[in-house]
Amino acid sequence: MKEATLERNTKETKIRASLAVGVENGGLCGKSGIGFFDHMLNSFCVHGGFRLTLEVTGDLEVDGHHTVEDCGIVIGRLFADILGDKSGIRRFGNRYIPMDESLAFCALDLSGRPFLVFDADFTSPMIGDYDSQLTVEFFRALAFQMGATLHLKLMYGDNDHHKTEALYKAAAHAIREAMEPTANGQILSAKGTLA
């Protein structure tokens, strides 16, 4: 198990978070103030084998944008801290995840070269108290801060709750796979370094 802790304070959000990876019982401890986002973070952690402790004060009187994006920034930085030089990990991960009528796919490279390709459409502007536009914002912040090339594609689906949850779960499983240890402990790169 590896752990990291970070505190980030801005005029828009105050976030303190701890992340542990490779745990038996993953999940979210704490609240962002956005119920559906907490549900997504908990699913992400359960399926990834992550334990996330989160304390958030955000400007929810404006909307949820800063809270969701800044949580993505903090969680991404926690992963980057845990990954270090990325030696001894598989580096690549991918997963299809079904959720009822929806199917999502994620392919990930912990390359140190941040990039996001996000291909998903939602029909509902809001899912509970969560703006459906914030899914891409979370994953962009996560990818760029953790140094990942992240591809997320919603293959199909009807229910926006199911579509969003399938994307979070697919990303979790792909990250979990990419972080699995290799036998030799070296950096998986022909040039001997990542980034």
Side-chain angles (χ1 to χ4, degrees), residues 2-193:
K2 296 181 180 179
E3 295 183 80
T5 299
L6 179 65
E7 187 168 343
R8 181 179 187 269
N9 297 316
T10 73
K11 291 180 179 179
E12 297 166 340
T13 62
K14 298 185 186 324
I15 301 173
R16 179 173 174 77
S18 296
L19 179 69
V21 301
V23 300
E24 290 278 328
N25 297 305
L28 170 67
C29 179
K31 293 184 177 181
S32 68
I34 303 170
F36 183 76
F37 183 50
D38 292 341
H39 176 46
M40 293 302 97
L41 287 178
N42 187 60
S43 289
F44 177 77
C45 291
V46 167
H47 286 267
F50 318 132
R51 185 172 59 244
L52 177 64
T53 302
L54 191 62
E55 298 171 23
V56 183
T57 303
D59 57 354
L60 295 179
E61 70 281 0
V62 175
D63 67 10
H65 190 286
H66 299 138
T67 295
V68 172
E69 182 179 40
D70 289 5
C71 283
I73 289 170
V74 168
I75 295 166
R77 289 182 183 171
L78 289 168
F79 274 115
D81 188 27
I82 289 168
L83 287 164
D85 68 358
K86 302 178 186 70
S87 60
I89 61 167
R90 291 182 62 176
R91 178 179 162 183
F92 297 97
N94 65 84
R95 188 62 60 96
Y96 282 97
I97 292 292
M99 176 99 185
D100 295 349
E101 85 300 337
S102 299
L103 181 68
F105 174 72
C106 178
L108 172 85
D109 178 8
L110 296 177
S111 61
R113 295 185 304 277
F115 201 86
L116 175 68
V117 175
F118 185 89
D119 184 4
D121 292 315
F122 305 99
T123 54
S124 303
M126 300 294 290
I127 308 168
D129 53 354
Y130 175 87
D131 184 340
S132 58
Q133 296 180 88
L134 297 181
T135 303
V136 66
E137 300 300 334
F138 172 79
F139 283 113
R140 181 181 294 115
L142 181 75
F144 275 74
Q145 296 302 316
M146 75 184 295
T149 297
L150 177 61
H151 291 248
L152 280 163
K153 182 173 180 61
L154 180 70
M155 309 305 291
Y156 46 80
D158 296 316
N159 182 293
D160 285 336
H161 182 137
H162 297 162
K163 293 190 287 189
T164 305
E165 191 163 350
L167 289 165
Y168 274 87
K169 288 177 178 177
H173 280 277
I175 293 169
R176 182 177 194 159
E177 180 181 357
M179 293 181 73
E180 287 177 359
T182 57
N184 61 19
Q186 295 178 343
I187 294 174
L188 185 58
S189 170
K191 62 186 176 186
T193 185

